[in-house]
């Protein structure tokens, strides 16, 4: 066994649970070892809503799109992390703030209603059978973009572009691309297509008073909250991204993942024209 890994194991003194996450702000943490699938990595990131140590992730789940390392190379990988200058990939996150209408009809920001997510924020119809109606705005001046009518809408990071957004027809985005993917969910319009906006864009979704029902918001599939008439969700790219170690390199790992996990562009090769001779 590697002496470096042995020393590392001897210095592991505690395990953290979600209720202990507030303590992590005061801890001196060099890096995070993640054992599991993509859900485990997303959960680990949720423990650090602000600054987060770099992550080395070993695939043990069913997909492992975000985990480039095999558990079989555990010792060598940790040796490399501790003794070499390994390349990392920077994955952006989203910061979401919920604003709610108070009894006087004005909008009052709930400072405690702040969430960070790695993949996506989703606003949808929840348990209601009828379609949701949302106003989509951009910029600090609340410039109207469009009205969302359908099952809902996804705002995803480039990392989240291969999750729910992909299933809803959104584009696959390289993690280093500075942007967000806006993907409608079953829109009641033939022309409402997914778009990619700059990472400097501020987006806001609002449940208008004319909407028939309230809506529901969730963050990486967790913490579902009801949005009543007049409530708003402000979305921006967080100033606290996630840094993760690469096995072969940022782009090589990404292409390997989309090919291995999604069988991207798998097809039998076209046969060449047969050569005939005459004489």
């Amino acid at each position: 066994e590697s002496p470096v890994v042995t020393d590392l194991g001897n210095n592991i003194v505690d395990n953290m649970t979600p209720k202990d996450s507030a303590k992590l702000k005061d801890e001196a943490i060099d890096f995070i070892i993640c054992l599991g699938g993509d859900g485990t990595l997303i959960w680990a990131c949720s423990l650090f809503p602000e600054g987060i140590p770099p992550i080395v992730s070993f695939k043990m789940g069913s997909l492992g799109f975000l985990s480039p390392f095999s558990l079989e190379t555990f010792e060598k990988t940790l040796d490399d992390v501790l003794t070499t200058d390994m390349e990392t990939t920077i994955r952006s996150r989203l910061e979401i703030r919920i604003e709610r209408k108070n009894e006087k009809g004005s909008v009052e920001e709930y400072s405690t209603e702040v969430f960070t997510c790695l993949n996506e924020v989703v606003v949808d119809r929840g348990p209601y059978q009828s379609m949701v109606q949302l106003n989509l705005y951009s910029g600090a001046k609340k410039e109207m973009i469009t009205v969302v009518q359908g099952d809902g809408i996804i705002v995803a990071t480039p990392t989240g572009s291969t999750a729910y957004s992909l299933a809803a027809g959104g584009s696959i985005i390289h993690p280093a691309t500075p942007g967000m993917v806006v993907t409608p969910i079953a829109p009641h319009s033939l022309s409402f297509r997914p778009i990619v906006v700059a990472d400097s864009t501020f987006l806001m979704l609002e449940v208008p008073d004319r909407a028939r029902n309230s809506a529901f918001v969730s963050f990486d599939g967790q913490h579902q909250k009801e949005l009543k008439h007049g409530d708003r969700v402000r979305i921006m790219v967080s100033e606290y991204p996630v840094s993760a170690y690469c096995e072969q390199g940022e782009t090589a790992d990404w292409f390997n993942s989309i090919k291995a996990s999604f069988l991207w562009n798998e097809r039998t090769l076209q046969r060449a024209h047969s050569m005939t001779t005459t004489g």
Side-chain angles (χ1 to χ4, degrees):
E1 184 175 277
S2 165
V4 175
V5 174
T6 301
D7 181 66
L8 177 67
N10 292 336
N11 284 281
I12 295 178
V13 294
D14 198 10
N15 292 315
M16 303 302 297
T17 63
K19 65 180 180 180
D20 300 317
S21 61
K23 302 176 183 178
L24 296 174
K25 285 186 177 181
D26 303 321
E27 296 287 337
I29 302 172
D30 296 312
F31 61 91
I32 300 167
I33 300 173
C34 188
L35 306 175
D38 293 346
T40 306
L41 186 145
I42 291 171
W43 174 83
C45 291
S46 70
L47 298 177
F48 300 84
E50 296 182 352
I52 178 172
I55 297 176
V56 53
S57 185
F58 296 90
K59 61 183 71 176
M60 294 179 63
S62 57
L63 191 64
F65 186 86
L66 302 177
S67 303
F69 299 104
S70 169
L71 198 60
E72 297 174 355
T73 63
F74 183 87
E75 293 183 8
K76 181 183 182 306
T77 299
L78 290 187
D79 267 336
D80 291 342
V81 168
L82 293 167
T83 62
T84 67
D85 187 18
M86 291 182 66
E87 183 179 343
T88 61
T89 182
I90 305 299
R91 297 183 178 275
S92 62
R93 292 194 284 182
L94 299 178
E95 179 183 298
I96 303 99
R97 294 179 178 269
I98 297 178
E99 297 178 347
R100 300 186 184 276
K101 242 181 182 180
N102 60 25
E103 295 179 355
K104 296 180 180 179
S106 62
V107 173
E108 177 184 6
E109 183 177 344
Y110 286 7
S111 59
T112 56
E113 295 285 288
V114 179
F115 300 87
T116 302
C117 61
L118 178 63
N119 270 352
E120 74 279 302
V121 54
V122 176
V123 181
D124 60 21
R125 59 187 174 88
Y128 295 110
Q129 295 303 307
S130 59
M131 66 182 180
V132 74
Q133 189 175 105
L134 304 164
N135 290 339
L136 176 60
Y137 302 94
S138 72
K141 295 183 179 180
K142 193 181 173 183
E143 299 170 350
M144 184 72 171
I145 299 176
T146 191
V147 178
V148 178
Q149 298 185 105
D151 281 0
I153 193 165
I154 303 164
V155 179
T157 63
T159 296
S161 71
T162 53
Y164 192 2
S165 176
L166 174 66
S171 299
I172 299 177
I173 309 296
H174 187 282
T177 303
M180 296 181 287
V181 189
V182 180
T183 306
I185 307 171
H188 199 252
S189 168
L190 295 176
S191 59
F192 195 0
R193 308 306 304 160
I195 59 173
V196 179
V197 299
D199 63 350
S200 59
T201 306
F202 292 87
L203 296 174
M204 185 176 75
L205 289 160
E206 178 185 54
V207 182
D209 292 334
R210 66 177 180 275
R212 293 187 179 183
N213 300 303
S214 57
F216 290 80
V217 60
S218 60
F219 318 92
D220 285 343
Q222 303 293 323
H223 312 295
Q224 188 181 65
K225 305 284 184 181
E226 184 176 6
L227 300 173
K228 298 182 179 180
H229 294 88
D231 290 350
R232 303 171 178 174
V233 177
R234 293 187 181 272
I235 306 164
M236 61 182 290
V237 172
S238 170
E239 61 180 303
Y240 301 106
V242 173
S243 174
Y245 287 104
C246 301
E247 182 182 38
Q248 299 179 26
E250 181 179 55
T251 298
D253 284 359
W254 183 71
F255 274 114
N256 288 339
S257 290
I258 63 173
K259 287 190 288 186
S261 299
F262 302 131
L263 304 180
W264 179 69
N265 198 32
E266 289 288 330
R267 183 193 186 279
T268 56
L269 290 177
Q270 184 182 47
R271 285 184 288 182
H273 289 296
S274 59
M275 301 296 294
T276 58
T277 59
T278 60

